[in-house]
Amino acid sequence: MKNKIKTVWSKRFKGKTSKSFQRIGSSINVDKRLYEQDIFASTVHTQMLIKQKIIPTNEGKKIINGLKKIKSLIDNNKFVFEEKYEDIHLNIEKKLFQIIGPAAGFMHTARSRNDQVVTDFKLWVKASTQDILKDISSVMRAIVKKAEKNIDTVMPGFTHLKNAQPISFAHYLLAYYEMLKRDKKRFENNLNLLDESPLGSAALSGTSYKIDRNYTAKKMGFKKATDNSIDSVSDRDFAIDFLYAAAVCAMHLSRLAEDFIILNSDAYKLIEFNDSVLTGSSIMPQKKNPDPAELIRGRVGINYGKLNSILTIMKGLPMSYFKDMQDDKALVFDGHDTLRDSLTMSYELINNLKVSKDRMHKMANQGFTTATDFADYLVKEKNLSFRESYGISSSLVDFAEKNKKTLDQVSLEELKKFYKNLDKNVLKIFNVRNSMNSKKSYGGTSSANIKKMIKKYKREIK
Ligand code: ARG
């Protein structure tokens, strides 16, 4: 052969591809991660071509066997991926020619790389979403386990990072359970939306072969085939939704990490971590720093970046396929890897977290955190309006602040200066644990509520 075939299109190409473009335009170093999906989809496609008598059975069988061999080569690290064959699809096709000869030429009947890549990519997102869902569930289970041990642990609840009202540490942790539960739903929504097979849309217009798209869709585990071939090859919503779900989840983990950093700081000292998740300083011998939490907090930036990038790449793309979209995979792979690392670190942090219950209790009693409870007491027991009792409680706080007392250090006699008709029953109002347990409204922080919630969570996450 004069023109030694290098690329599948080399017949019409007179000059060689520029070296620098070959390196920059090739995606093999990224999309080789799709090899399992690519081989699976090609196998199903070939089975369909045989069934529909579009290609000879013999050649089809050779293709399927060849693909099997290629998979085992890649599995065992014996496959050399080559930049000059651009991407995973052409690397595999090239290898197939080397293994089975001209029969390989039948494989690409009735398809294009345009529907091939989006099929592979959807299959990858489906499988990887399952991994993420498992990782999120592990963090949720770790939260429930830690919460169960801290139902009665009173801590200061903050608003504006100022002491607000006493809460249970378990209740605080379980707030993150709820956030992660929504994250799972976001990923699951995407799974539902993307559950349509694009294979058979070919380049953009469909194909004149009598293919069976329903067969390939079902065999690959999709609910159905997509309805519009042009949309099929140009749609990357599933990648955007995936990166959006990842960004929101990473944001939640970042908030948890920031909470941990604050609660662990020397100013608060409300939680500690085992050495396994801490690092020291190269100069300050005393330091033990919660680096994993800082990485989780910082890396949300990576997840936001990937989402922003894909939204920008897709903006203004006319129909249908353009090479712009080739970079979608690096974004999704990085977003996926970053999120899973953050989930792993969150899991480890929660499991290695130690609670300083005494300090928490003490801090929960600072900053007049039961001032609202006193106002509520006057409303309920003395029939005052809330605004009136709010005023009385404000004066009490002023008094306590001036006299450097916590509210539970104010005596009954002193209290009576603010509201005459009081007896010793009022004193229990200023106990932070009583305050916490009085919040029995649905979803509130009372230990009775939390116990019920934990039961429910354990059922849904087992
Ligand atoms: N590597 C390509 C990508 O990821 C595959 C599709 C190529 N299609 C094409 N018409 N050049 O987008």
Side-chain angles (χ1 to χ4, degrees):
M1 249 190 297
K2 193 175 100 243
N3 186 0
K4 201 169 160 255
I5 303 243
K6 294 222 169 74
T7 58
V8 290
W9 49 79
S10 59
K11 262 207 167 150
R12 254 176 54 72
F13 280 61
K14 308 286 177 283
K16 270 186 152 176
T17 312
S18 108
K19 272 278 166 235
S20 46
F21 170 60
Q22 191 172 81
R23 178 182 62 76
I24 296 163
S26 150
S27 59
I28 186 62
N29 285 326
V30 172
D31 60 27
K32 62 183 174 195
R33 253 176 111 162
L34 294 176
Y35 84 90
E36 274 190 83
Q37 289 75 23
D38 196 70
I39 289 171
F40 175 55
S42 288
T43 305
V44 172
H45 178 67
T46 308
Q47 287 165 340
M48 183 278 292
L49 293 175
I50 298 172
K51 177 181 91 69
Q52 298 297 95
K53 302 194 175 16
I54 295 169
I55 63 169
T57 306
N58 243 351
E59 324 299 290
K61 282 185 174 159
K62 281 186 204 160
I63 292 171
I64 292 168
N65 280 331
L67 288 171
K68 234 182 248 164
K69 281 185 197 137
I70 293 173
K71 175 162 183 320
S72 109
L73 285 176
I74 304 178
D75 282 344
N76 295 303
N77 264 327
K78 286 188 181 130
F79 190 102
V80 186
F81 294 103
E82 293 198 67
E83 246 175 26
K84 65 178 174 210
Y85 303 132
E86 239 189 80
D87 57 24
I88 186 63
H89 324 295
L90 294 177
N91 267 266
I92 288 177
E93 186 175 318
K94 186 75 190 171
K95 191 75 186 173
L96 194 62
F97 270 101
Q98 288 166 4
I99 298 180
I100 67 167
F106 287 91
M107 181 172 69
H108 211 56
T109 316
R111 75 170 184 192
S112 148
R113 276 189 299 161
N114 295 353
D115 58 340
Q116 192 179 354
V117 70
V118 69
T119 303
D120 294 358
F121 198 18
K122 277 187 165 186
L123 287 170
W124 190 92
V125 168
K126 277 178 85 168
S128 306
T129 298
Q130 294 302 339
D131 294 335
I132 288 178
L133 290 173
K134 273 187 214 133
D135 287 356
I136 297 178
S137 296
S138 298
V139 178
M140 290 166 82
R141 267 191 293 272
I143 287 174
V144 171
K145 213 169 119 194
K146 189 61 71 181
E148 213 176 1
K149 294 206 184 88
N150 287 284
I151 296 171
D152 294 316
T153 307
V154 191
M155 73 177 279
F158 306 104
T159 62
H160 312 270
L161 212 51
K162 304 278 287 177
N163 291 18
Q165 293 176 339
I167 57 170
S168 154
F169 185 62
H171 198 52
Y172 151 81
L173 279 177
L174 292 171
Y176 283 98
Y177 179 100
E178 292 288 340
M179 290 147 95
L180 292 168
K181 188 166 143 183
R182 290 195 295 274
D183 290 331
K184 280 174 70 173
K185 286 191 183 147
R186 256 180 289 277
F187 279 110
E188 283 160 357
N189 280 345
N190 188 34
L191 286 182
N192 281 331
L193 284 175
L194 70 70
D195 210 7
E196 299 183 353
S197 165
L199 191 63
S201 301
L204 82 162
S205 62
T207 177
S208 58
Y209 296 98
K210 290 218 161 11
I211 58 172
D212 185 346
R213 293 194 60 207
N214 190 40
Y215 172 88
T216 49
K218 288 277 146 62
K219 268 223 146 169
M220 289 188 293
F222 289 103
K223 230 181 331 200
K224 63 185 278 294
T226 50
D227 290 332
N228 181 299
S229 61
I230 304 173
D231 174 52
S232 305
V233 296
S234 69
D235 164 38
R236 294 295 182 274
D237 291 0
F238 63 95
I240 294 170
D241 286 351
F242 177 88
L243 286 174
Y244 171 64
V248 176
C249 183
M251 177 267 286
H252 289 154
L253 298 176
S254 170
R255 293 182 66 177
L256 177 68
E258 170 69 351
D259 265 346
F260 283 174
I261 290 165
I262 292 170
L263 298 180
N264 177 246
S265 71
D266 287 324
Y268 282 73
K269 278 191 179 152
L270 296 186
I271 59 171
E272 284 180 322
F273 292 103
N274 292 320
D275 285 356
S276 58
V277 290
L278 300 172
T279 47
S281 153
S282 63
I283 173 173
M284 297 170 283
Q286 85 281 14
K287 292 291 291 253
K288 284 191 175 186
N289 301 324
D291 287 18
E294 292 164 26
L295 287 174
I296 295 167
R297 186 179 56 187
R299 284 185 185 173
V300 68
I302 296 178
N303 282 102
Y304 284 2
K306 305 296 165 187
L307 173 62
N308 199 28
S309 299
I310 198 161
L311 285 169
T312 311
I313 286 174
M314 295 309 292
K315 168 201 162 295
L317 266 196
M319 286 291 132
S320 57
Y321 176 85
F322 285 89
K323 197 75 159 192
D324 309 44
M325 292 195 276
Q326 176 163 277
D327 289 330
D328 56 3
K329 286 167 289 299
L331 298 173
V332 167
F333 293 163
D334 286 352
H336 163 272
D337 295 346
T338 306
L339 178 65
R340 288 194 69 191
D341 282 349
S342 292
L343 285 164
T344 302
M345 287 190 284
S346 304
Y347 175 81
E348 296 234 351
L349 281 173
I350 294 162
N351 282 337
N352 284 289
L353 181 154
K354 297 177 287 183
V355 186
S356 310
K357 294 192 182 186
D358 290 344
R359 273 191 62 85
M360 271 194 187
H361 189 273
K362 207 171 153 209
M363 195 185 270
N365 200 22
Q366 283 160 7
F368 317 106
T369 54
T370 52
T372 320
D373 300 85
F374 181 50
D376 289 339
Y377 176 86
L378 295 176
V379 170
K380 286 190 277 187
E381 300 297 323
K382 310 296 172 190
N383 295 322
L384 304 188
S385 80
F386 181 74
R387 271 292 158 256
E388 190 181 359
S389 52
Y390 174 96
I392 295 170
S393 189
S394 304
S395 308
L396 172 64
V397 171
D398 267 348
F399 168 83
E401 193 175 48
K402 269 189 208 108
N403 291 280
K404 298 197 166 42
K405 288 183 179 202
T406 56
L407 287 184
D408 64 345
Q409 288 166 344
V410 178
S411 69
L412 182 59
E413 275 58 48
E414 288 167 326
L415 282 170
K416 282 181 171 169
K417 284 187 211 149
F418 301 94
Y419 188 80
K420 257 195 276 165
N421 184 15
L422 287 172
D423 56 49
K424 67 176 189 334
N425 274 331
V426 70
L427 296 174
K428 66 176 187 303
I429 282 300
F430 301 105
N431 176 295
V432 289
R433 191 177 304 279
N434 289 345
S435 162
M436 176 184 104
N437 284 325
S438 72
K439 306 294 174 64
K440 290 197 172 74
S441 57
Y442 185 79
T445 192
S446 73
S447 56
N449 270 0
I450 298 170
K451 277 178 198 149
K452 275 189 216 149
M453 279 301 159
I454 287 181
K455 253 196 202 147
K456 169 170 123 80
Y457 293 152
K458 279 180 152 176
R459 269 200 308 274
E460 60 189 30
I461 197 81
K462 56 168 184 303

